[in-house]
Amino acid sequence: MPAPKKLDLIPEEVRGWLREELTARGFADIIDVTEALNFRLEEAGLEIRIGKSAVGDYSKALKDQREAFSIAETLLADMDIEAEGELHKVLMQMIATSAVHMINAVREKDEHLDPKDLMSLGRMLKDLMSSSGMREKLLSDERDRVAREATEAAEAAANARFDAAIDAAEQEARGPGEKGLSATAVATLRREFLGLRS
């Protein structure tokens, strides 16, 4: 099993600071960031020194990850929810394929799978599945919204037809002082509001 990377040995809060610092500097100034990192580690009483190539590799990985997220965000913004479901299927297949390649590569070298790699794959699958669940919820919410709007539109149309039918019925009402609607008015109400023929 390969030795852990030095950056994996530093405390999480220092690694978080490193991520923020590299991002703030546009993933550049590797030498200055490395010096600041080593100063922080020394200040914390840790006897570990990180080289600029390790910080550079980490910076490149962060930048690549950020660009990948940006591209994915752009793609998803241009897609409808149904097309996003197809993308989830493709991503799941890619992750499964990566896992198989990783396992085969380890097996060929007669080594053991690095637990961090397994955790990373597991996290990707979990995030993707969570995202898929959110997509399903969004799709369900969208269907509910469309159905609600259709119901509201139908009710508004029925109310408008009813009001128009009442107006027409009042014009056909019996003479002054008489109560009730004439047979013609009732037929008009049935026809206009209920859609029935008398």
Side-chain angles (χ1 to χ4, degrees), residues 90-133:
V90 171
L91 288 173
M92 289 289 269
Q93 290 170 347
M94 289 172 61
I95 291 172
T97 302
S98 295
V100 169
H101 287 304
M102 186 186 303
I103 291 168
N104 286 338
V106 168
R107 200 179 294 156
E108 286 173 8
K109 295 177 185 174
D110 199 29
E111 295 178 353
H112 296 287
L113 201 54
D114 185 4
K116 281 192 168 219
D117 292 337
L118 278 176
M119 271 182 41
S120 178
L121 273 174
R123 194 173 300 126
M124 281 192 293
L125 281 169
K126 180 182 146 255
D127 291 348
L128 189 59
M129 291 171 79
S130 172
S131 170
S132 180

Side-chain angles (χ1 to χ4, degrees), residues 3-158:
K5 295 178 181 178
K6 283 187 177 181
L7 279 174
D8 293 336
L9 300 175
I10 66 175
E12 180 57 41
E13 61 272 4
V14 177
R15 209 171 21 254
W17 170 86
L18 179 59
R19 272 191 301 272
E20 290 172 12
E21 192 68 20
L22 287 167
T23 302
R25 295 183 187 219
F27 307 102
D29 296 333
I30 301 302
I31 294 172
D32 291 341
V33 172
T34 303
E35 288 174 6
L37 172 64
N38 284 320
F39 178 76
R40 280 182 170 268
L41 292 171
E42 188 178 310
E43 214 174 45
L46 298 169
E47 295 182 17
I48 186 171
R49 301 260 320 146
I50 307 295
K52 65 181 182 210
S53 61
V55 173
D57 291 344
Y58 188 67
S59 176
K60 183 181 180 332
L62 286 175
K63 184 178 180 185
D64 291 347
Q65 182 183 44
R66 183 177 184 178
E67 288 173 356
F69 285 151
S70 175
I71 290 169
E73 199 173 272
T74 302
L75 282 172
L76 292 177
D78 292 341
M79 289 185 182
D80 62 5
I81 293 175
E82 307 243 343
E84 189 181 335
E86 290 303 312
L87 180 65
H88 276 93
K89 289 178 190 173
V90 171
L91 288 173
M92 289 289 269
Q93 290 170 347
M94 289 172 61
I95 291 172
T97 302
S98 295
V100 169
H101 287 304
M102 186 186 303
I103 291 168
N104 286 338
V106 168
R107 200 179 294 156
E108 286 173 8
K109 295 177 185 174
D110 199 29
E111 295 178 353
H112 296 287
L113 201 54
D114 185 4
K116 281 192 168 219
D117 292 337
L118 278 176
M119 271 182 41
S120 178
L121 273 174
R123 194 173 300 126
M124 281 192 293
L125 281 169
K126 180 182 146 255
D127 291 348
L128 189 59
M129 291 171 79
S130 172
S131 170
S132 180
M134 286 188 289
R135 181 188 62 79
E136 290 300 323
K137 175 147 180 24
L138 285 172
L139 193 55
S140 174
D141 290 349
E142 179 67 8
R143 286 184 189 131
D144 292 347
R145 183 189 65 77
V146 168
R148 189 174 54 251
E149 286 178 359
T151 301
E152 289 169 1
E155 287 175 359

Side-chain angles (χ1 to χ4, degrees), residues 132-196:
S132 180
M134 286 188 289
R135 181 188 62 79
E136 290 300 323
K137 175 147 180 24
L138 285 172
L139 193 55
S140 174
D141 290 349
E142 179 67 8
R143 286 184 189 131
D144 292 347
R145 183 189 65 77
V146 168
R148 189 174 54 251
E149 286 178 359
T151 301
E152 289 169 1
E155 287 175 359
N159 283 331
R161 281 196 328 265
F162 183 73
D163 290 343
I166 291 294
D167 289 344
E170 286 176 348
Q171 290 176 5
E172 294 178 21
R174 296 179 187 183
E178 293 184 31
K179 295 182 180 178
L181 295 174
S182 68
T184 309
V186 171
T188 301
L189 283 174
R190 278 183 193 221
R191 185 180 64 249
E192 296 299 323
F193 179 64
L194 300 175
L196 300 175

